[in-house]
Amino acid sequence: MPNVKHQKWWGWGEENVFFTWENKPAFAPLVKRAVGIDLRPRQRDTVDFATADVPGSQISDDDLQALREIVGATHTVLDDELRIVHWAGKSVTDIIKTLQNRFERVPDAVVYPGSEDEVQALVKAAVERDLVLIPFGGGSSISRSLQPRPEETRTVVSVNLGRLNQVLEIDEVSGLARIQAGVLGPDMEEQLNGRGWTLGHFPDSFNHSTLGGWAATRSSGMQSDKYGDIADIIRGMNAVRPGGVVKLRPLPSTSTGPSLREMFIGSEGRLGIITELWVQVHRIAEHREVIAYMFPTWQQGLTAMRLIHEAEVHTTFARISDARETEFSLATQKAPTSLKKTVAAKGQDALWAVMRRRGWDTSAMCIAYVCFEGAKDDVARKKKVVAGIVKKQGALTLGSGPGALYDQKKFDTPYLRDFLLEQGVIGDVSETAAPWARLTTVHKNVYEAAQSAFDELGKTGWIMSHMSHSYHSGACLYFTFAFEFTEDVDREYALVKTRIQQAFIDAGGTLSHHHGVGAEHSPWMEQDVSPEGVELMRGLFRTADPGENFNPGKVLDSPDTLFKVLGSEGSGQEQ
């Protein structure tokens, strides 16, 4: 097996890492109210790969030999478990299908190139031999960006870039780094931190996603308020195409026609394979602090987040959970196991009592976290300005304790999703962005759309939200929904997800702020970027890849959509 890190074949992340609820006394009662089930102890620690019924590889001896000549026999893999690791991403439906042995089109081989020259040879061979190449980073996609088209009859090769995992150079004067595309987030930060730098890009999937994957899906990180989205961070790149390598130098700005850099960012492998990137890096901050605040209502909290941005307080992030997500967050608190924690818990209960005496509806309160970085005096100044803004919106400052806990646990949430699946519950996410003036409407309409789907299915369902990334003109709203599923899970999921996505568009939001398009979101592209915009994009893909050798069926024209599950071949407009 090549020396590359992989996620477990049957779920998210690493083996032997679990979410547990027994030490969280408020969690089971909340789940009962939210989705109507009684939790049971975890029964699944792992899944034996012997239970997987894997379709055989269809690769010919001739194609296999050609791949081995390019990357070597050791790095050309037909192993069934690794083929299943690479057959899909980690969306909730991907994991359900994997656990139920409902494999569709599985890659015939997985290759691990060790250089850009090897990637170029693979691309050349794909065109000459009419193979399908699908670039693979950490496999964390939840928008179905990694699956071959189900009806694909050609040889499918997953190109795992995990051996291309080095920070190659740092221009310390310019604050730029040249980094290979296959590096995982933690490995990249370790290399940068060792020299006093950080990229500052921390998506939820950080531990199991790569720099190239972030570029290919137009990712955002939790700290984008300070460091920018990945499109702001990337200054240049190398992308391998059939005719050669597109090399974009790391310039601060250019006026040289339509942006090739922008074309490749978010292209999901359809224009070629990104092998290395020039990115902006920053000196590690002298001081970092996350402060928690509690607001009486969602609207007051949302207003405060907008005013913080309007006041040009340069926070690292500023996010707020709505009332339901706040309730959920509080329900995941562990039972106190020490005198200090017991005292803290009693202090929290006393605070809630004080708030109720002041007239707060504690079922409506919303928790916010704001992160400050910089020199200590600069952090103190920013905290003072924010304290004044949130106070005018009625907030109480909870301090750095809850904020530090949030910072420590920020990458753990996906394990909860796998736990819920074992309990027979789907827990999944959808996110959008909209102008500040539309956010309240988007939030309201999405709640109503989800509830309409739950009602139609006759289910007790749950939806909650937070505002995560903010900009001059608007912000991202991130929704989590959950419901108990049955054997009709495909249709149930499709109904709920399509209602939510359509509500985004109808209320003035985008179909995705940072999860990309893949196959999951492709039906809404005309509504999002206009029919003429889609036709222009389609022309780009057609010209750049006339043989459809590079991850076909993603972004546009996917044959495998949620509407197909619902019995419609059309777009969201037809629902």
Side-chain angles (χ1 to χ4, degrees), residues 125-165:
V127 174
E128 292 176 349
R129 294 175 170 275
D130 198 20
L131 312 176
V132 173
L133 298 188
I134 301 178
F136 191 97
S140 62
S141 168
I142 62 170
S143 58
R144 294 193 294 125
S145 297
L146 298 172
Q147 285 94 326
R149 293 183 293 194
E151 72 277 14
E152 186 61 70
T153 58
R154 296 174 293 175
T155 297
V156 177
V157 180
S158 180
V159 183
N160 187 307
L161 297 169
R163 293 173 66 206
L164 304 180
N165 60 6

Side-chain angles (χ1 to χ4, degrees), residues 86-368:
H86 290 79
W87 95 273
K90 295 299 184 183
S91 75
V92 67
T93 51
D94 293 338
I95 293 172
I96 287 173
K97 287 180 178 180
T98 296
L99 290 169
Q100 294 179 347
N101 272 321
R102 292 196 287 139
F103 304 115
E104 292 161 350
R105 184 63 171 92
V106 176
D108 299 298
V110 182
V111 295
Y112 297 81
S115 68
E116 186 173 272
D117 287 344
E118 290 184 359
V119 174
Q120 198 165 359
L122 287 169
V123 167
K124 185 173 183 289
V127 174
E128 292 176 349
R129 294 175 170 275
D130 198 20
L131 312 176
V132 173
L133 298 188
I134 301 178
F136 191 97
S140 62
S141 168
I142 62 170
S143 58
R144 294 193 294 125
S145 297
L146 298 172
Q147 285 94 326
R149 293 183 293 194
E151 72 277 14
E152 186 61 70
T153 58
R154 296 174 293 175
T155 297
V156 177
V157 180
S158 180
V159 183
N160 187 307
L161 297 169
R163 293 173 66 206
L164 304 180
N165 60 6
Q166 297 299 305
V167 175
L168 299 174
E169 63 178 296
I170 299 177
D171 177 346
E172 302 212 4
V173 175
S174 306
L176 293 166
R178 183 165 67 96
I179 305 176
Q180 292 180 304
V183 66
L184 289 165
D187 296 336
M188 178 193 64
E189 280 294 317
E190 182 180 5
Q191 294 177 62
L192 289 173
N193 294 171
R195 294 177 61 177
W197 296 88
T198 180
L199 190 73
H201 191 74
F202 297 99
D204 288 357
S205 62
F206 173 74
N207 288 331
H208 305 290
S209 55
T210 64
L211 176 60
W214 301 340
T217 56
R218 195 172 285 271
S219 167
S220 265
M222 298 177 185
Q223 301 184 162
S224 66
D225 289 8
K226 174 180 178 179
Y227 297 100
D229 296 331
I230 201 66
D232 305 307
I233 293 170
I234 294 170
R235 304 318 312 156
M237 68 176 73
N238 284 12
V240 176
R241 299 256 313 124
V245 180
V246 177
K247 296 188 176 184
L248 304 177
R249 294 173 295 149
L251 300 168
S253 185
T254 66
S255 179
T256 51
S259 172
L260 290 170
R261 179 178 63 89
E262 281 288 316
M263 284 185 194
F264 280 101
I265 298 172
S267 61
E268 302 189 16
R270 293 211 56 178
L271 299 178
I273 298 179
I274 299 168
T275 53
E276 65 180 53
L277 300 108
W278 279 100
V279 292
Q280 296 176 167
V281 290
H282 300 257
R283 291 288 186 187
I284 296 173
E286 173 189 326
H287 184 65
R288 174 186 173 87
E289 197 168 353
V290 181
I291 303 297
Y293 308 90
M294 190 69 80
F295 288 87
T297 66
W298 167 248
Q299 192 59 56
Q300 287 168 290
L302 201 61
T303 298
M305 298 300 104
R306 176 178 60 81
L307 292 174
I308 290 169
H309 201 86
E310 194 174 288
E312 298 186 358
V313 182
H314 298 298
T315 60
T316 302
F317 64 76
R319 59 178 283 156
I320 181 167
S321 296
D322 69 7
R324 280 196 174 181
E325 188 169 285
T326 298
E327 181 185 6
F328 176 84
S329 297
L330 294 174
T332 60
Q333 291 181 343
K334 294 180 180 179
T337 55
S338 67
L339 179 59
K340 182 179 179 181
K341 291 180 179 179
T342 300
V343 171
K346 289 182 178 178
Q348 176 178 290
D349 292 341
L351 178 60
W352 293 175
V354 169
M355 292 159 68
R356 284 190 288 269
R357 287 197 296 271
R358 290 184 180 181
W360 281 45
D361 176 359
T362 49
S363 67
M365 63 187 185
C366 299
I367 195 166

Side-chain angles (χ1 to χ4, degrees), residues 43 49 55 58 69 92 121 133 136 150 181 201 234 261 285 292 335 348 392 396 411 472 480 564:
Q43 298 172 333
F49 188 71
Q58 301 176 24
E69 288 175 0
V92 67
L133 298 188
F136 191 97
H201 191 74
I234 294 170
R261 179 178 63 89
Q348 176 178 290
K392 288 180 180 178
L396 292 175
F411 301 132
H472 175 77
T480 301
K564 185 176 181 181

Side-chain angles (χ1 to χ4, degrees), residues 514-569:
H514 59 262
H515 284 157
V517 183
E520 189 90 330
H521 301 140
S522 64
W524 288 273
M525 284 293 285
E526 281 196 3
Q527 296 182 67
D528 201 308
V529 303
S530 80
E532 187 61 23
V534 163
E535 191 53 41
L536 188 62
M537 199 179 296
R538 187 177 286 125
L540 170 64
F541 292 152
R542 188 184 302 122
T543 302
D545 181 25
E548 294 193 314
N549 299 109
F550 306 111
N551 208 13
K554 308 307 183 298
V555 184
L556 298 177
D557 304 323
S558 173
D560 180 27
T561 71
L562 297 174
F563 293 102
K564 185 176 181 181
V565 174
L566 294 174
S568 168
E569 300 294 333

Side-chain angles (χ1 to χ4, degrees), residues 420-437:
L420 289 174
L421 274 181
E422 190 194 351
Q423 305 285 329
V425 172
I426 277 183
D428 203 18
V429 296
S430 281
E431 34 71 51
T432 186
W436 289 110

Side-chain angles (χ1 to χ4, degrees), residues 1-35:
M1 180 183 294
N3 186 26
V4 170
K5 297 176 185 176
H6 301 91
Q7 295 190 67
K8 60 193 178 195
W9 74 272
W10 57 274
W12 178 268
E14 303 172 26
E15 291 279 5
N16 302 314
V17 179
F18 309 106
F19 172 85
T20 183
W21 60 272
E22 287 90 343
N23 60 349
K24 303 174 181 69
F27 189 75
L30 174 63
V31 171
K32 179 67 173 180
R33 294 196 307 274
V35 295

